[in-house]
């Protein structure tokens, strides 16, 4: 296709503002797929994505559109992930296109992820077309939201398109705006091949499928290509585009977006953001700014039933095949036995993987407390990364500890501002900025990631009744007084419960933890001390008193079936218990004990 007739774009929006619905409409209205083939929200391929209403893997579709000017255009839409965990993938895929539709729910207004995503579009030098969606809702207030876009984001929204992705109003205008306002791509057909690896995923039949944007040159079937990052060479066996079903074509030229397959076995061999060129007569300089995405949150995954370890290994290996940003290594815990220490891009990523293991592979998991990566500086000048609090070296060898900090942006209605400030303050936050935008406050906090990974988002939602929106980015590692807190149950340390805490908060955290455990651990025939300790010093202590009668005693001996039922129920409960020395701890205790309130 001629460059002048190509438009490449993405849609940026806060979660639930209607990105997928709008994409579906654009595809549908151009006849790219027939209505009856149209699965609702077809861009969100995976079930979990659909259930959670989030888009995880970038996806793409090529739309043929004959505009009002009578010319035929090719519109390539790249669907970007909307969640902060995948910020790096978003920022890369943004560089593969020239423009964005900025979708804002006209009954809600600008939210934290609207900002985070639109700033990435601005960073990528996009032309931006504002779209006010959901105008069919009675609460829609287009003028106010347009003004808000101008005030907060600083782009002209006077010509914002008013759309209802639900009813189809404004869809034609949106297609015309894409053609009219977004720039055509540039590139040279005669230059050496330079293509950006935008995304990749594993397909059971075709192997790894690589989504590419051609910057210069031409990619053809049977070409031998080189990944510039690691130098690996592959022979291309298929080239094509998504309509949205895969359709093979002969070549991809400058400005075009499509896929290739080349008998690549693992997604790990294809790094998002890498540059692809020809093995011979390749380009000299890769595209700038490549960095592999790094896991920032780690936790242990153990099978609730130890005999399922091999199943868990297989599940994890399969998932890792399709997710280069998910890392894992075997871990043994004195308390939990064999399992895996896994690294994730963020909490949502963790939850998605955990859900998939439980659901798709039917394995019950014990998840240990998520931990961030600490930098441990030793007295001898060495620095090690700590992924697991249980591995914290002896304090006498440690000079100091650094933790990752984030810049968090929160948008919240004024009424709840006080609660939000208190929450951030409680989590060792430092307020950086506070501004007001149309009845709402925008607060920016410098927070330790450690205080955010566990339940910050849940707390934020609950103190603001769901009205706050939140987004963050990692900023730097900073030294603070961080120590490892161990938990002892019946005088035995339970490594899966150890955690890194700020020294000033250790007593308070320890107290909450032991009180919780006291409630969560069932009584035994003997007294059980529960303690939290730092180094050798106990900072909090509770005692679980001994049980007086056994459970069946209250059945008066007579009713056998009832007694049996009770015992069965007990046995079932037991499956979810873990033995620690002489004490049994229920599985859910590992998560519940770590929640802060
Ligand atoms: P993520 O995939 O989570 O990023 O969400 P999204 O931005 O893609 O939102 P999605 O398209 O899933 O829409 C969210 C909800 O809003 C769905 O229940 C849609 O049916 C609804 N919705 C989308 N567009 C409209 C609209 O124009 N009017 C109304 N009334 N509802 C809409």
């Amino acid at each position: 296709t001629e460059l002048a007739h190509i438009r490449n774009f993405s849609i940026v929006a806060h979660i639930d503002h209607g990105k997928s619905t709008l994409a579906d409409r654009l595809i549908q209205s151009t006849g790219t797929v027939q209505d009856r083939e149209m699965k609702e929200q077809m861009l969100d391929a995976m079930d979990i994505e659909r259930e959670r209403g989030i888009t995880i893997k970038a996806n793409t579709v090529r739309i043929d559109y004959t505009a009002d000017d009578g010319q035929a255009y090719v519109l390539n839409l790249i669907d970007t992930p909307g969640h902060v965990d995948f910020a790096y993938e978003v920022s890369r895929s943004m560089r593969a296109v020239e423009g964005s539709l900025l979708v804002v729910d006209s009954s809600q207004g600008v939210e934290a992820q609207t900002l985070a995503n639109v700033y990435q579009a601005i960073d990528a030098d996009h032309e931006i077309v504002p779209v006010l969606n959901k105008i069919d809702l009675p609460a829609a207030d287009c003028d106010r939201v347009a003004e808000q876009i101008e005030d907060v984001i600083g782009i002209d929204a006077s010509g914002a398109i008013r759309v209802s992705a639900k009813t189809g109003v404004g869809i034609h205008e949106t297609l015309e705006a894409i053609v009219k306002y977004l720039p055509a791509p540039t590139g040279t057909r005669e230059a050496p091949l330079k293509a950006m690896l935008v995304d990749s995923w594993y397909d059971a039949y075709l192997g790894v499928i690589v989504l590419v944007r051609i910057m210069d040159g031409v990619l053809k079937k049977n070409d031998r290509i080189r990944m510039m990052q690691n130098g690996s060479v592959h022979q291309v066996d298929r080239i094509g585009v998504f309509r949205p079903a895969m359709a093979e074509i002969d070549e991809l030229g400058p400005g075009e977006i499509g896929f290739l397959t080349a008998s690549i076995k693992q997604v790990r061999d294809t790094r998002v953001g890498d540059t692809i060129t020809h093995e011979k007569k390749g380009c000299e300089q890769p595209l700038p700014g490549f960095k592999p995405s790094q896991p920032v949150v780690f936790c242990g995954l153990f099978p609730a039933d130890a005999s399922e370890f091999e199943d868990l290994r297989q599940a994890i290996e399969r998932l890792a095949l399709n997710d280069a940003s998910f890392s894992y290594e075997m871990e043994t815990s004195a308390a939990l036995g064999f399992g895996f220490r896994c690294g994730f891009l963020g909490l949502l990523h963790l939850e998605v993987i955990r859900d998939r293991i439980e659901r798709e592979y039917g394995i019950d998991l014990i998840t240990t407390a998520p931990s961030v990566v600490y930098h441990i500086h030793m007295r001898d000048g060495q620095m090690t990364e700590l992924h697991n609090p249980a591995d914290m070296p002896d304090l006498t060898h440690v000079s100091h500890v650094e933790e990752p900090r984030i810049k968090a942006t929160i948008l919240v209605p004024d009424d709840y501002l006080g609660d939000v400030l208190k929450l951030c303050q409680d989590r060792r936050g430092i307020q950086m900025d506070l501004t007001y935008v149309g009845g709402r406050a925008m607060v920016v906090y410098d927070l330790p990631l450690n205080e955010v990974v566990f339940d910050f988002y849940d707390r934020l939602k609950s103190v603001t009744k769901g009205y706050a929106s939140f987004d963050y980015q990692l900023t730097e590692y900073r030294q603070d007084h961080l120590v490892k807190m161990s938990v002892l149950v019946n005088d035995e340390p339970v490594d899966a419960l150890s955690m890194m805490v700020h020294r000033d908060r250790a007593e308070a955290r320890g107290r909450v933890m032991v009180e919780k455990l006291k409630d969560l651990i069932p009584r035994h025939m003997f007294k059980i001390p529960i303690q939290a300790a730092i180094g050798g010093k106990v900072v909090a202590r509770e005692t679980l008193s001994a049980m007086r009668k056994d459970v069946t005693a209250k059945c008066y001996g007579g009713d056998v079936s009832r007694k049996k039922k009770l015992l069965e129920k007990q046995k079932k409960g037991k499956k979810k218990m873990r033995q620690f020395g002489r004490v049994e701890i229920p599985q859910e205790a590992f998560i519940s004990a770590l929640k802060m309130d």
Side-chain angles (χ1 to χ4, degrees):
T1 319
E2 236 178 280
L3 285 168
H5 288 165
I6 302 177
R7 297 292 182 273
N8 298 318
F9 69 105
S10 60
I11 304 179
V12 295
H14 186 73
I15 279 179
D16 277 348
H17 282 201
K19 185 173 78 168
S20 311
T21 313
L22 177 64
D24 288 352
R25 273 289 167 184
L26 296 175
I27 296 167
Q28 212 177 10
S29 74
T30 50
T32 304
V33 278
Q34 299 303 314
D35 282 5
R36 62 189 162 79
E37 295 172 31
M38 186 78 197
K39 273 188 292 165
E40 213 193 321
Q41 313 248 318
M42 65 190 327
L43 289 178
D44 293 11
M46 282 160 40
D47 279 354
I48 290 193
E49 289 186 34
R50 197 169 306 152
E51 256 170 54
R52 293 179 167 244
I54 46 164
T55 312
I56 297 167
K57 270 282 157 209
N59 221 322
T60 186
V61 59
R62 173 164 166 154
I63 299 168
D64 289 315
Y65 176 64
T66 305
D68 290 354
D69 64 8
Q71 306 274 330
Y73 291 88
V74 168
L75 315 180
N76 290 306
L77 164 62
I78 286 191
D79 188 19
T80 55
H83 192 273
V84 304
D85 283 5
F86 306 95
Y88 174 68
E89 291 187 18
V90 180
S91 82
R92 286 316 292 188
S93 40
M94 293 270 184
R95 293 193 189 271
V97 297
E98 287 77 22
S100 285
L101 300 182
L102 167 65
V103 175
V104 182
D105 182 334
S106 59
S107 69
Q108 301 283 328
V110 171
E111 294 288 354
Q113 280 149 20
T114 317
L115 289 176
N117 291 331
V118 79
Y119 288 146
Q120 289 199 321
I122 292 169
D123 272 355
D125 285 332
H126 281 190
E127 200 58 52
I128 294 167
V129 172
V131 172
L132 305 173
N133 189 33
K134 306 199 188 182
I135 58 164
D136 58 291
L137 292 176
D141 187 348
C142 291
D143 294 336
R144 184 185 65 87
V145 174
E147 202 183 298
Q148 206 189 28
I149 292 174
E150 297 195 343
D151 285 354
V152 184
I153 302 170
I155 59 174
D156 178 13
S158 55
I161 309 167
R162 299 175 179 211
V163 171
S164 167
K166 186 175 172 186
T167 65
V169 171
I171 296 298
H172 179 75
E173 289 75 4
T174 306
L175 289 162
E176 284 298 312
I178 291 168
V179 169
K180 207 162 146 198
Y181 298 116
L182 301 189
T186 55
T188 313
R189 218 181 143 80
E190 292 69 32
L193 176 68
K194 187 182 257 186
M196 183 196 291
L197 198 162
V198 182
D199 193 9
S200 63
W201 59 93
Y202 183 79
D203 179 278
Y205 299 104
L206 303 173
V208 174
I209 296 173
V210 180
L211 181 66
V212 292
R213 154 71 198 265
I214 312 292
M215 314 308 279
D216 283 315
V218 180
L219 178 69
K220 293 196 174 89
K221 208 170 153 158
N222 297 324
D223 280 356
R224 292 182 64 80
I225 51 163
R226 183 155 47 91
M227 308 283 182
M228 292 188 78
Q229 177 63 22
N230 63 8
S232 66
V233 172
H234 306 270
Q235 175 147 351
V236 176
D237 38 50
R238 273 185 198 81
I239 288 179
V241 293
F242 296 97
R243 292 182 182 277
M246 289 171 98
E248 287 194 45
I249 58 172
D250 295 332
E251 60 164 59
L252 286 170
E256 293 196 290
I257 293 174
F259 70 86
L260 67 85
T261 65
S263 307
I264 302 169
K265 304 253 165 357
Q266 293 193 59
V267 169
R268 244 153 250 280
D269 302 331
T270 57
R271 292 300 195 153
V272 170
D274 199 355
T275 307
I276 299 173
T277 189
H278 282 130
E279 181 190 17
K280 300 211 173 89
K281 301 211 183 107
C283 66
E284 317 244 295
Q285 287 295 322
L287 297 159
F290 171 82
K291 67 172 188 321
S293 46
Q294 294 287 348
V296 293
V297 177
F298 283 78
C299 80
L301 298 182
F302 294 84
D305 177 349
S307 70
E308 290 189 324
F309 174 73
E310 271 310 315
D311 299 336
L312 177 60
R313 180 207 293 282
Q314 278 176 18
I316 282 178
E317 280 171 0
R318 290 225 58 119
L319 290 173
L321 214 56
N322 201 12
D323 187 346
S325 44
F326 163 52
S327 75
Y328 64 97
E329 56 183 51
M330 224 185 100
E331 178 184 8
T332 42
S333 147
L336 299 172
F338 291 111
F340 293 91
R341 190 84 193 159
C342 302
F344 307 92
L345 295 177
L347 262 201
L348 179 85
H349 189 209
L350 186 164
E351 277 176 32
V352 167
I353 299 261
R354 191 187 59 200
D355 273 14
R356 292 191 63 186
I357 294 174
E358 294 203 321
R359 228 190 294 197
E360 292 171 29
Y361 297 88
I363 303 169
D364 255 350
L365 290 176
I366 295 178
T367 317
T368 64
S371 164
V372 300
V373 176
Y374 293 93
H375 286 174
I376 313 293
H377 293 265
M378 309 299 282
R379 289 204 195 283
D380 64 7
Q382 302 264 30
M383 192 279 280
T384 54
E385 284 192 355
L386 182 74
H387 292 177
N388 185 350
D391 299 334
M392 177 74 187
D394 193 276
L395 282 182
T396 52
H397 301 301
V398 173
S399 128
H400 62 278
V401 178
E402 288 174 337
E403 64 178 345
R405 307 281 305 196
I406 59 167
K407 179 180 158 203
T409 306
I410 301 166
L411 269 82
V412 65
D414 291 355
D415 296 353
Y416 302 103
L417 180 61
D419 299 307
V420 170
L421 297 183
K422 179 171 183 312
L423 176 66
C424 292
Q425 228 52 54
D426 285 348
R427 300 294 169 99
R428 298 195 279 130
I430 301 165
Q431 192 179 312
M432 310 292 288
D433 199 11
L434 172 59
T435 46
Y436 291 90
V437 287
R440 284 191 310 170
M442 181 169 94
V443 262
V444 180
Y445 260 89
D446 170 23
L447 279 156
L449 179 62
N450 161 38
E451 301 283 344
V452 171
V453 290
F454 202 71
D455 62 349
F456 180 84
Y457 193 56
D458 292 345
R459 294 289 309 147
L460 181 68
K461 283 282 173 197
S462 86
V463 300
T464 63
K465 304 212 164 39
Y467 284 116
S469 62
F470 165 69
D471 201 88
Y472 72 82
Q473 70 207 70
L474 286 169
T475 48
E476 57 169 7
Y477 270 83
R478 205 183 307 153
Q479 182 180 346
D480 215 325
H481 195 171
L482 298 152
V483 292
K484 174 178 137 182
M485 186 165 78
S486 322
V487 172
L488 297 96
V489 175
N490 205 25
D491 299 320
E492 302 246 9
V494 179
D495 53 2
L497 286 173
S498 49
M499 65 189 309
M500 298 293 292
V501 288
H502 192 270
R503 185 62 190 86
D504 295 346
R505 316 237 156 179
E507 275 85 8
R509 290 298 298 272
R511 217 173 305 121
V512 172
M513 182 105 145
V514 296
E515 277 166 16
K516 281 225 156 122
L517 283 172
K518 187 182 166 197
D519 289 339
L520 290 161
I521 299 174
R523 288 191 191 188
H524 285 56
M525 302 305 288
F526 47 89
K527 214 164 63 175
I528 303 172
I530 304 169
Q531 298 156 306
I534 288 164
K537 186 167 170 267
V538 172
V539 293
R541 173 191 174 105
E542 285 283 336
T543 306
L544 183 62
S545 54
M547 182 162 59
R548 267 171 250 139
K549 299 181 188 127
D550 80 316
V551 233
T552 54
K554 48 174 143 11
C555 296
Y556 311 113
D559 187 345
V560 177
S561 75
R562 173 124 186 261
K563 202 174 201 173
K564 224 178 182 170
K565 230 190 214 157
L566 207 57
L567 284 172
E568 234 155 58
K569 205 165 140 205
Q570 227 184 13
K571 212 156 84 194
K572 220 165 153 204
K574 214 167 238 162
K575 250 190 153 169
K576 303 238 172 188
M577 298 269 203
R578 275 299 169 124
Q579 191 80 34
F580 295 85
R582 294 166 61 211
V583 180
E584 285 188 327
I585 303 181
Q587 187 181 329
E588 69 270 14
F590 294 93
I591 288 289
S592 312
L594 295 152
K595 294 212 167 147
M596 278 171 246
D597 31 35

